[in-house]
Amino acid sequence: MQSKKVILSGIQPSGALTLGSYLGAIRNWAALADEYNCYYAIVDMHAITARQDPATLRKMQYEHLAQLIACGLDSKENTLFIQSHVPAHAQLAWVLNCYTMFGELSRMTQFKDKSAKNDENINAGLFTYPALQAADILLYQADLVPVGADQKQHVELTRDIAFRFNGIYGDVFKLPEPYIPKVGARIMDLQTPTKKMSKSEVADGGCVLLMDSPDDIVRAFKRAVTDSETNVRFDPVSKPGVSNLIQIYSVCTGKTIADVEKEFEGKGYGDFKPVVGDAVVELFRPIREEAQKLISERAYLDNVLRSGAEKASLTAITTLRKVYRKIGFLERPQ
């Protein structure tokens, strides 16, 4: 019997989970466990490329774990773990740093974007994080990496690094492919609908969080930027705000774009926006309630993290030992 293909994805605990991260990624993860061997890491090592308050960072890791489980990621069917709990991530990252070219790193758009936003902390970790990201993926010999359409560049660089390493040392790493959901893969900011919704930009009012109250969610949608017309029509180029709302409503309800347009034919944005907000409220309600319950069950969450790290480590150390042997590192005597 052929073994399941492997999926690996990571999520940073540097901010609350958003509607965009749920509809674009997490919502799709729960359905993958039957078909794939799934590893999901809370990537705390990536988070510290920006300054973090230690107490908040620890708190956010528990909250993210609780929310992932509440979103349907059964810890018995998926491997859920903290990145730093598996030392092989850092160990392989250093090796891959030595097989990643300076020019490749300098062309990464996320480095450029984050450097522009935080010019007082352009650190080496921010520059070389793609090597750590490649280690995250390659340690588990991942076949697929769920990413948003805007993050294919990261998987492409990981493939380049793996191909380069394999070209020197033989068949060591699988070459991963991006896994991009066809619907809801790119949810935009409610205030700036030409920009992807991001948990790093909550302050602008265009970001809806998984744990927001129903009132806050509805309020955010009522304030969503649209256009000077009134017809509910899907046209991402000339009507990006309304098109974003249509896509959100479509994914939340399971209705097609055409069905949504027909439902609101002859109605204006004042009718449409609160309905979208209500759909998101109902989608999030059971998740928020379950997550709030799980956050208080610290012993249970610790057990999930312990078993997840143990399982992840078994796979990761196998890959790391192979890499060390290939490059000539001497194995520590027992």
Side-chain angles (χ1 to χ4, degrees), residues 217-249:
I217 292 173
V218 171
R219 188 178 302 112
F221 278 96
K222 285 182 177 179
R223 294 174 177 173
V225 169
T226 49
D227 51 63
S228 58
E229 297 182 10
T230 59
N231 57 322
V232 179
R233 178 171 55 86
F234 190 76
D235 184 347
V237 175
S238 61
K239 297 169 70 68
V242 174
S243 298
N244 185 43
L245 297 180
I246 291 173
Q247 178 171 239
I248 291 170
Y249 186 63

Side-chain angles (χ1 to χ4, degrees), residues 169-197:
Y169 299 108
D171 188 16
V172 179
F173 298 122
K174 282 186 181 179
L175 300 185
E177 297 283 351
Y179 176 88
I180 303 173
K182 294 180 181 179
V183 179
R186 191 171 171 82
I187 303 301
M188 313 306 284
D189 188 281
L190 298 184
Q191 291 299 313
T192 312
T194 55
K195 180 180 66 176
K196 183 180 176 183
M197 186 179 288

Side-chain angles (χ1 to χ4, degrees), residues 80-81 85 299-311:
L80 309 176
F81 65 102
H85 289 180
Y300 167 73
L301 295 179
D302 282 338
N303 187 58
V304 170
L305 293 177
R306 186 181 303 108
S307 60
E310 289 172 355
K311 184 178 178 182

Side-chain angles (χ1 to χ4, degrees), residues 97 99-109 111-112 127-128 130 153 157 160-161 164:
N97 263 314
Y99 293 84
T100 306
M101 300 300 106
F102 182 90
E104 291 174 321
L105 296 175
S106 64
R107 288 191 293 272
M108 297 300 287
T109 56
F111 171 72
K112 296 175 183 177
F127 185 68
T128 65
Q153 185 186 35
L157 178 58
D160 291 341
I161 296 168
R164 181 178 298 127

Side-chain angles (χ1 to χ4, degrees), residues 204-224:
D204 71 353
C207 184
V208 174
L209 304 180
L210 197 64
M211 301 299 284
D212 275 348
S213 70
D215 287 346
D216 286 341
I217 292 173
V218 171
R219 188 178 302 112
F221 278 96
K222 285 182 177 179
R223 294 174 177 173

Side-chain angles (χ1 to χ4, degrees), residues 25-211:
I26 300 168
R27 180 174 181 264
N28 302 291
W29 292 356
L32 299 175
D34 290 339
E35 188 176 353
Y36 300 100
N37 187 9
C38 300
Y39 292 84
Y40 298 113
I42 297 174
V43 288
D44 53 341
M45 294 165 66
H46 283 292
I48 63 168
T49 56
R51 294 289 178 263
Q52 304 291 334
D53 173 70
T56 301
L57 182 60
R58 284 189 285 268
K59 177 174 177 285
M60 292 301 294
Q61 290 175 76
Y62 278 116
E63 290 186 359
H64 275 55
L65 176 62
Q67 290 171 45
L68 290 176
I69 296 171
C71 286
L73 297 186
D74 189 328
S75 61
K76 293 183 175 64
E77 298 178 354
N78 303 274
T79 303
L80 309 176
F81 65 102
I82 301 291
Q83 183 185 30
S84 65
H85 289 180
V86 183
H89 285 258
Q91 292 170 294
L92 182 59
W94 174 250
V95 174
L96 297 185
N97 263 314
C98 300
Y99 293 84
T100 306
M101 300 300 106
F102 182 90
E104 291 174 321
L105 296 175
S106 64
R107 288 191 293 272
M108 297 300 287
T109 56
Q110 194 169 84
F111 171 72
K112 296 175 183 177
D113 293 344
K114 289 192 174 183
S115 297
K117 294 174 183 176
N118 193 12
D119 58 5
E120 295 181 356
N121 185 29
I122 305 176
N123 56 73
L126 183 61
F127 185 68
T128 65
Y129 82 91
L132 174 58
Q133 194 166 53
D136 298 337
I137 297 167
L138 298 176
L139 271 175
Y140 302 96
Q141 303 293 349
D143 297 282
L144 297 169
V145 183
V147 292
D150 60 325
Q151 296 205 345
K152 287 178 64 178
Q153 185 186 35
H154 298 144
V155 182
E156 290 166 358
L157 178 58
T158 297
R159 286 174 56 86
D160 291 341
I161 296 168
F163 185 80
R164 181 178 298 127
F165 195 93
N166 289 351
I168 301 170
Y169 299 108
D171 188 16
V172 179
F173 298 122
K174 282 186 181 179
L175 300 185
E177 297 283 351
Y179 176 88
I180 303 173
K182 294 180 181 179
V183 179
R186 191 171 171 82
I187 303 301
M188 313 306 284
D189 188 281
L190 298 184
Q191 291 299 313
T192 312
T194 55
K195 180 180 66 176
K196 183 180 176 183
M197 186 179 288
S198 171
K199 63 183 179 180
S200 63
E201 298 184 27
V202 175
D204 71 353
C207 184
V208 174
L209 304 180
L210 197 64
M211 301 299 284

